[in-house]
Amino acid sequence: MSSFPTHKLKQLPYTTINTHFTNNSLTQPLTSLQCGAILQSLTNTKSLTTGQHLHAYIITSGNLVSNTYLSTKLAAFYANCGQMANARIIFDGIVFKSSFLWNSMIRGYACNGYSEKALALYQEMKFFGQRADKFTYPFVIKACGDLFGVEIGRRVHGRAVINGFDLDMYVSNSLLAMYLKFMDMSLARMVFDRMPKRDSTSWNTMISGYVKNGKPEEGLAIFDLAKRTGLVADDATLIGLLSICAELVAVKLGKAVHGYVFRNRYAVVCNNFLMNSLIEMYCKCNSMVDARRLFEKMELKDTVSWNSLISGYARNAEAFESLRLFCRLVLEGTKPDQITFIIVLGACHQVTAFQFGMSVHSCLAKKGFGATIVVGTALIDMYVKCGALACAHHVFEEIPRKNLVCWSAMISGYGIHGMGRDAISLFHEMLENNICPDEGVLTSVLSACSHTGLVSEGKKIFHRMTTNYNVSPVLAHYSCLVDLLGRAGYLDEAFELIDSMIVNPSCDIWAALLNACRLHRNIDLAEISAEKLFELNPRQVGGYICLSNMYAAEKRWDDVERIRALMRQKGLTKSAGCSFVELNKTVHRFLVGDKSHPQMENINSKLKHLNQLLKEAGYKPDTSSVFYNVDEETKEKMLWDHSERLAIAFALINTGSKTTIRITKNLRVCGDCHIVIKLISKLLHREIIMRDIRRFHHFKDGLCSCGDYW
């Protein structure tokens, strides 16, 4: 049999291939066997255009007439190249279909996104009496998994068992992958344990399955078992293991994996998937120094590498470094993707980098990401948390098809800005658009009611959850309702609600009641709430501070010292007050009593001027929020050291008289600072938007949007 160089096929015009073969290249026409051999080669390399030329030659040479062998080869070729319409035409014309042909078609449908057609063809195959074999089941099972067809997937599994193919390694691996998609690790483990022989795919599928299903410890146990059987870890194994380390925050184990990587074949060249997994592991283990060191050593950094590190800094409360790294990414010419922009927008709202966020918005719009719903929702969140509610609403209105997350972000935004009625109005607009709320949206609207004291409205929504929206209340909903009742002064009702809960109350619920007790000075109920809170989470520092401050307000200094001693014993410390303000796309940070800023002399001078101006207007310091046993003069001085006042003084010095001042504080604003900022907004005719740990305060003309309810 003569051979024909297939590379020549690629050079031939489609319409003249037969003439070329007959007159120029071949002394005699190709036989069916020769055509079949060439087709097999083209099938293996997925050389679609060349195969089409050969198809033309076969037709014009007359070789295809009643030639089941060539027809089968052509159908398999087109199926392997993803051309399922062409494959089906040839398939339907073949009278005597072999198991190879059925399997090729089922595989083609399953691997090219036509899962339903793959299953339909499988049923047709059975109808015509063709038995499925070990080459059929892997792709039928894949189609079941892709369609999330749990019931049919289990039936196919049963047929494989009956026909004796379930113990075939490739069939079993397909079953593992299918049950992983179904999130049914118990059945996956049953299949895995019955396998007489396993390859690296078997082990890796189980490891990744346990990680994705929130059981990293089980994944680690599988890896230990794999080591005992002599498994040599490949890239997929190591990436799965690094995912486990990240989920368990097991940096010691992660470093051991890192060492293994560089002691073995990865010492010289390590692929980016593995390097990025290492960076992600270190970031999730709060080991940013190690992550950064590894990142800087990478010769070829891809977008995923940058995203992992930028996200790592943002997750570890180092938003400034996230923003600096993003600027470097742009300068070095790496193209940011959708994920990059979402991460950076999240970093912007952490430190109220409003101007920087607007620049990012402009950049992503130019690159065509502005229209996507995920980026749009991230923009809404950024603008909301930077105090620019009008900008957030504009973005919200521009999103053509809003999903539940989008509605929830906007409703929540109105809530934390003290616009509870607008939040409820938007909620009803969502219902009018025939969108049924989920747990997240209901949490947002209940939280909005809580921020503005809309007790009756919040209670109605809570009680309609089950009857109208088919949503059973979860802990987050109870927490919002307890907060709503407690802050409105209905402490007994809030306590009764907690007592009647079917599920056990969470830390957040007891913390909400404790905070309400602080507002209404109910020390007895506060002690009960604090005790419950400490039982559930002995290291939640906020509860100790809240109870200590309540004792201090009652001048029970022995109890104050007892709580503070308990904190010292547990190694707990209160976070220092910290405020951020942006100037010319640069965010400035001020700590309580800060002396480090370059403009500190001018800031102190401005604060003295403000103090004098406010006292002339009748301001009298409210020292009740200074919880230290010191004299009144010292308390007054301590108030003027608060970080938000330093930030406001800095902004007043460096911005024009009509510029809105935006401040972010990491703690709750104290009562005296709230009074001072209201007076500053009135006397200096400046609008000040401040975000504290709980909500936003819009100060203008001596009033605050919260209505002194916070």
Side-chain angles (χ1 to χ4, degrees):
M1 181 186 296
S2 61
S3 62
F4 179 77
T6 57
H7 69 275
K8 287 189 178 181
L9 288 170
K10 299 177 183 178
Q11 303 167 6
L12 299 176
Y14 185 87
T15 55
T16 61
I17 190 166
N18 182 40
T19 304
H20 187 93
F21 280 178
T22 304
N23 298 333
N24 300 331
S25 297
L26 301 172
T27 57
Q28 58 184 5
L30 293 172
T31 67
S32 294
L33 289 175
Q34 287 173 319
C35 290
I38 296 169
L39 265 175
Q40 186 60 56
S41 174
L42 297 176
T43 301
N44 294 339
T45 57
K46 295 188 178 181
S47 303
L48 177 61
T49 303
T50 310
Q52 288 173 326
H53 291 167
L54 182 57
H55 186 184
Y57 169 76
I58 292 170
I59 293 171
T60 55
S61 67
N63 277 342
L64 197 61
V65 179
S66 301
N67 194 323
T68 301
Y69 167 73
L70 273 184
S71 297
T72 299
K73 285 286 185 183
L74 275 168
F77 163 74
Y78 280 119
N80 200 51
C81 291
Q83 302 291 307
M84 295 310 300
N86 291 337
R88 188 61 189 248
I89 290 170
I90 298 169
F91 173 83
D92 288 340
I94 299 173
V95 178
F96 299 105
K97 299 177 176 66
S98 65
S99 60
F100 170 79
L101 178 59
W102 286 102
N103 291 341
S104 296
M105 291 296 294
I106 291 170
R107 175 181 179 176
Y109 280 130
C111 293
N112 288 284
Y114 302 103
S115 299
E116 290 179 350
K117 290 186 177 181
L119 294 180
L121 199 63
Y122 167 67
Q123 296 296 340
E124 189 179 334
M125 176 185 179
K126 289 197 300 177
F127 177 80
F128 283 106
Q130 183 69 52
R131 287 191 60 178
D133 57 26
K134 67 178 182 180
F135 301 107
T136 315
Y137 284 113
F139 300 104
V140 175
I141 292 165
K142 172 179 165 52
C144 294
D146 290 343
L147 287 173
F148 205 78
V150 178
E151 290 305 317
I152 190 170
R154 287 175 178 169
R155 287 202 298 271
V156 171
H157 183 182
R159 294 294 302 177
V161 172
I162 292 169
N163 292 326
F165 294 113
D166 62 310
L167 299 182
D168 176 83
M169 186 168 65
Y170 298 104
V171 174
S172 294
N173 283 344
S174 300
L175 286 167
L176 292 179
M178 179 184 74
Y179 285 122
L180 168 57
K181 290 172 185 173
F182 297 164
M183 296 186 290
D184 190 341
M185 290 308 297
S186 60
L187 276 178
R189 186 58 185 264
M190 183 194 74
V191 171
F192 180 80
D193 289 340
R194 291 188 64 206
M195 290 176 71
K197 185 179 179 183
R198 306 180 183 107
D199 62 3
S200 59
T201 301
S202 317
W203 295 102
N204 293 339
T205 302
M206 288 300 292
I207 291 169
S208 64
Y210 277 123
V211 173
K212 290 175 182 177
N213 284 275
K215 297 180 179 179
E217 296 91 348
E218 295 288 337
L220 196 57
I222 288 288
F223 177 71
D224 289 335
L225 182 61
K227 283 195 301 182
R228 291 198 295 273
T229 62
L231 174 74
V232 177
D234 59 12
D235 287 358
T237 314
L238 294 168
I239 289 169
L241 193 55
L242 287 169
S243 297
I244 290 173
C245 297
E247 291 298 318
L248 295 176
V249 196
V251 70
K252 188 175 179 180
L253 178 59
K255 287 186 174 182
V257 177
H258 188 177
Y260 174 88
V261 167
F262 283 89
R263 280 194 307 272
N264 292 277
R265 63 187 174 92
Y266 309 96
V268 179
V269 178
C270 186
N271 69 56
N272 268 26
F273 288 111
L274 200 48
M275 291 291 282
N276 291 338
S277 295
L278 281 164
I279 291 170
E280 182 73 9
M281 180 274 295
Y282 280 125
C283 289
K284 287 191 174 180
C285 290
N286 307 319
S287 186
M288 294 309 300
V289 173
D290 291 306
R292 186 60 174 266
R293 187 183 298 120
L294 199 57
F295 175 83
E296 298 296 353
K297 285 181 180 178
M298 290 180 72
E299 292 184 10
L300 296 173
K301 303 175 178 70
D302 60 15
T303 308
V304 177
S305 317
W306 288 94
N307 289 349
S308 294
L309 198 63
I310 292 170
S311 175
Y313 280 120
R315 277 199 307 266
N316 285 280
E318 296 185 54
F320 293 115
E321 196 56 40
S322 280
L323 301 184
R324 279 193 285 267
L325 206 58
F326 173 71
C327 293
R328 181 180 152 191
L329 174 151
V330 174
L331 289 172
E332 292 188 11
T334 302
K335 292 183 179 180
D337 61 11
Q338 177 174 282
I339 295 171
T340 315
F341 287 117
I342 291 169
I343 296 166
V344 172
L345 289 170
C348 287
H349 75 59
Q350 282 186 29
V351 291
T352 320
F354 173 63
Q355 295 167 359
F356 195 101
M358 290 185 72
S359 297
V360 173
H361 186 178
S362 175
C363 180
L364 66 87
K366 288 176 183 175
K367 293 186 181 294
F369 292 113
T372 70
I373 194 165
V374 179
V375 173
T377 304
L379 279 167
I380 291 170
D381 199 43
M382 183 274 291
Y383 280 127
V384 161
K385 290 175 180 174
C386 285
L389 201 57
C391 294
H393 187 263
H394 179 72
V395 173
F396 176 79
E397 290 296 329
E398 285 192 332
I399 296 175
R401 300 184 67 180
K402 304 171 182 65
N403 64 7
L404 279 169
V405 179
C406 185
W407 286 96
S408 182
M410 199 66 235
I411 291 169
S412 175
Y414 279 125
I416 61 175
H417 281 268
M419 302 173 69
R421 296 204 178 277
D422 292 273
I424 292 174
S425 175
L426 193 64
F427 175 69
H428 288 306
E429 183 184 332
M430 185 192 79
L431 295 176
E432 288 167 7
N433 279 278
N434 297 317
I435 298 174
C436 188
D438 64 357
E439 288 181 7
V441 174
L442 289 164
T443 301
S444 295
V445 73
L446 286 171
S447 177
C449 292
S450 174
H451 282 300
T452 40
L454 301 175
V455 177
S456 61
E457 292 88 344
K459 288 170 73 173
K460 283 179 186 176
I461 291 169
F462 183 85
H463 292 303
R464 286 175 182 167
M465 284 175 58
T466 306
T467 55
N468 290 30
Y469 313 128
N470 197 30
V471 176
S472 298
V474 295
L475 288 169
H477 303 131
Y478 282 109
S479 181
C480 288
L481 190 58
V482 167
D483 190 54
L484 170 63
L485 294 170
R487 279 149 53 87
Y490 301 104
L491 296 176
D492 291 337
E493 189 175 346
F495 186 73
E496 287 170 8
L497 174 66
I498 296 172
D499 197 43
S500 66
M501 285 172 56
I502 300 172
V503 293
N504 292 326
S506 65
C507 295
D508 290 339
I509 289 173
W510 288 114
L513 185 59
L514 178 58
N515 184 61
C517 292
R518 177 191 59 79
L519 288 172
H520 299 286
R521 303 173 75 95
N522 187 325
I523 197 80
D524 294 331
L525 190 53
E527 288 176 332
I528 295 171
S529 305
E531 183 181 349
K532 297 289 187 181
L533 181 59
F534 299 158
E535 285 177 8
L536 291 171
N537 188 355
R539 301 197 62 79
Q540 187 170 334
V541 69
Y544 296 94
I545 292 167
C546 185
L547 187 59
S548 172
N549 290 346
M550 290 185 71
Y551 286 140
E554 300 293 324
K555 301 191 185 315
R556 291 169 55 173
W557 300 112
D558 289 343
D559 287 322
V560 170
E561 181 52 37
R562 177 174 57 82
I563 297 297
R564 290 177 180 171
L566 192 59
M567 288 175 63
R568 288 193 296 270
Q569 179 185 331
K570 294 178 180 294
L572 304 176
T573 56
K574 177 185 176 183
S575 299
C578 180
S579 294
F580 305 98
V581 61
E582 186 182 28
L583 179 67
N584 300 325
K585 297 182 186 177
T586 300
V587 179
H588 296 256
R589 177 171 56 184
F590 295 89
L591 294 170
V592 60
D594 206 340
K595 307 296 180 188
S596 62
H597 197 278
Q599 295 188 35
M600 207 62 232
E601 188 175 334
N602 291 335
I603 290 171
N604 283 330
S605 177
K606 189 68 175 178
L607 287 173
K608 287 180 182 178
H609 172 69
L610 288 172
N611 192 7
Q612 183 62 35
L613 192 66
L614 265 59
K615 284 187 175 179
E616 289 173 2
Y619 159 68
K620 292 183 180 179
D622 177 9
T623 59
S624 63
S625 55
V626 179
F627 303 110
Y628 292 93
N629 191 12
V630 293
D631 59 67
E632 286 298 308
E633 185 178 348
T634 303
K635 286 184 179 182
E636 286 186 32
K637 184 180 182 307
M638 291 172 75
L639 287 171
W640 283 94
D641 280 340
H642 282 191
S643 62
E644 57 266 55
R645 302 195 196 194
L646 300 175
I648 289 171
F650 168 79
L652 290 171
I653 293 167
N654 292 283
T655 60
S657 60
K658 294 184 180 180
T659 306
T660 298
I661 297 172
R662 301 174 191 274
I663 306 290
T664 295
K665 186 176 181 182
N666 66 331
L667 302 175
R668 180 182 176 276
V669 62
C670 77
D672 190 68
C673 284
H674 198 263
I675 294 168
V676 164
I677 301 170
K678 283 198 295 184
L679 288 170
I680 291 173
S681 73
K682 180 179 181 180
L683 298 174
L684 301 186
H685 307 290
R686 295 294 289 270
E687 183 177 0
I688 302 170
I689 299 175
M690 181 179 180
R691 170 183 157 201
D692 69 11
I693 198 170
R694 289 191 60 84
R695 62 173 299 148
F696 274 88
H697 302 264
H698 291 247
F699 299 95
K700 190 174 181 180
D701 299 327
L703 299 173
C704 179
S705 60
C706 74
D708 298 337
Y709 186 88
W710 87 99

